[in-house]
């Protein structure tokens, strides 16, 4: 199951960037201006992907965190935890042909056929959780979900990981209403 999750996440990041669905959630009671330093959780450092892709992911998070004014620290305000999930899905598409039309005896019914095509794919989701080090509670969570493409080049993987991470962090810090 871990291998499926790892594959799904990698495929998520390898595929075309244009359809990454992102969302986020946050603790409205948290004061995000208090968070200035971060470190990766132990689980994030053991992310169930190969070393090359784990390093790409961690580097992309580091870039986004630096862009948000954070500094990496051995005594962080928040921990960054990463979680991968994957779900195999099937989509069916029905196509009808034949049926009504003009014939020898005028307009009327006829034989028709229905063809059903099945497309099986894996949808992967990467969760980026920000955990308050003092309370050990998640204060912000960003998610990116994408249909996976396992055939991307290393350059495309790198580009897509950066792009997905940029989208995930776009709503940090959250705007309180």
């Amino acid at each position: 199951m871990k291998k499926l999750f790892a594959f799904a996440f990698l495929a998520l990041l390898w595929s075309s960037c244009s359809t990454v669905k992102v969302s986020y959630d946050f603790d409205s009671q948290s004061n995000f201006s208090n968070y200035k330093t971060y470190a990766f959780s132990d689980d994030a450092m053991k992310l169930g992907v190969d070393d090359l892709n784990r390093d790409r992911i961690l580097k992309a998070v580091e870039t986004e965190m630096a862009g948000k004014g954070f500094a990496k620290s051995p005594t962080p305000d928040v921990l960054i935890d990463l979680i991968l999930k994957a779900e195999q899905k099937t989509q069916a598409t029905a196509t009808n042909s034949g049926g009504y039309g003009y014939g020898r005896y005028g307009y009327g019914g006829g034989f028709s056929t229905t063809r059903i095509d099945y497309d099986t794919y894996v949808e992967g989701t990467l969760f980026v959780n920000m955990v308050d080090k003092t309370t050990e509670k998640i204060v912000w969570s960003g998610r990116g979900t994408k249909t996976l493409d396992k055939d991307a080049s290393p350059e495309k993987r790198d580009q897509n990981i950066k792009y997905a991470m940029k989208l995930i962090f776009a709503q940090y810090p959250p705007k309180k209403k």
Side-chain angles (χ1 to χ4, degrees):
M1 192 61 137
K2 276 187 172 182
K3 287 184 180 183
L4 176 62
F5 289 153
F7 167 77
F9 175 72
L10 293 176
L12 163 76
L13 297 175
W14 296 343
S15 59
S16 169
C17 293
S18 61
T19 58
V20 176
K21 294 180 283 182
V22 296
S23 61
Y24 73 101
D25 197 3
F26 67 97
D27 177 1
S28 63
Q29 303 303 310
S30 292
N31 184 353
F32 291 94
S33 64
N34 290 338
Y35 302 132
K36 305 289 183 202
T37 60
Y38 76 98
F40 289 104
S41 70
D42 290 339
D43 288 340
M45 297 306 292
K46 297 176 193 170
L47 197 59
V49 295
D50 63 78
D51 291 346
L52 293 171
N53 286 300
R54 185 194 66 235
D55 291 348
R56 286 181 179 117
I57 294 163
L58 296 176
K59 179 69 175 160
V61 171
E62 289 172 352
T63 299
E64 292 303 315
M65 293 296 286
K68 300 292 182 182
F70 281 81
K72 203 168 179 184
S73 171
T75 57
D77 301 321
V78 293
L79 291 174
I80 301 299
D81 192 29
L82 304 170
I83 300 169
L84 308 172
K85 297 207 179 212
E87 182 179 2
Q88 186 168 349
K89 295 186 173 194
T90 302
Q91 181 177 9
T93 304
T95 306
N96 292 317
S97 62
Y100 292 93
Y102 289 99
R104 182 174 180 178
Y105 302 106
Y107 188 79
F111 292 102
S112 68
T113 59
T114 301
R115 185 176 123 190
I116 300 175
D117 294 310
Y118 294 96
D119 182 27
T120 301
Y121 60 95
V122 177
E123 185 174 83
T125 301
L126 170 65
F127 294 83
V128 180
N129 295 322
M130 188 176 287
V131 180
D132 183 298
K133 181 75 164 135
T134 304
T135 65
E136 297 184 0
K137 292 184 178 181
I138 296 174
V139 293
W140 183 85
S141 180
R143 297 169 287 287
T145 302
K146 175 85 177 102
T147 300
L148 311 178
D149 175 8
K150 65 184 186 308
D151 298 324
S153 69
E155 295 80 16
K156 189 68 172 170
R157 291 177 203 164
D158 191 50
Q159 175 188 0
N160 289 334
I161 287 170
K162 289 176 185 176
Y163 181 77
M165 210 58 71
K166 182 175 285 311
L167 290 177
I168 290 170
F169 276 95
Q171 297 299 321
Y172 185 88
K175 314 283 189 278
K176 295 183 182 180
K177 292 182 179 181

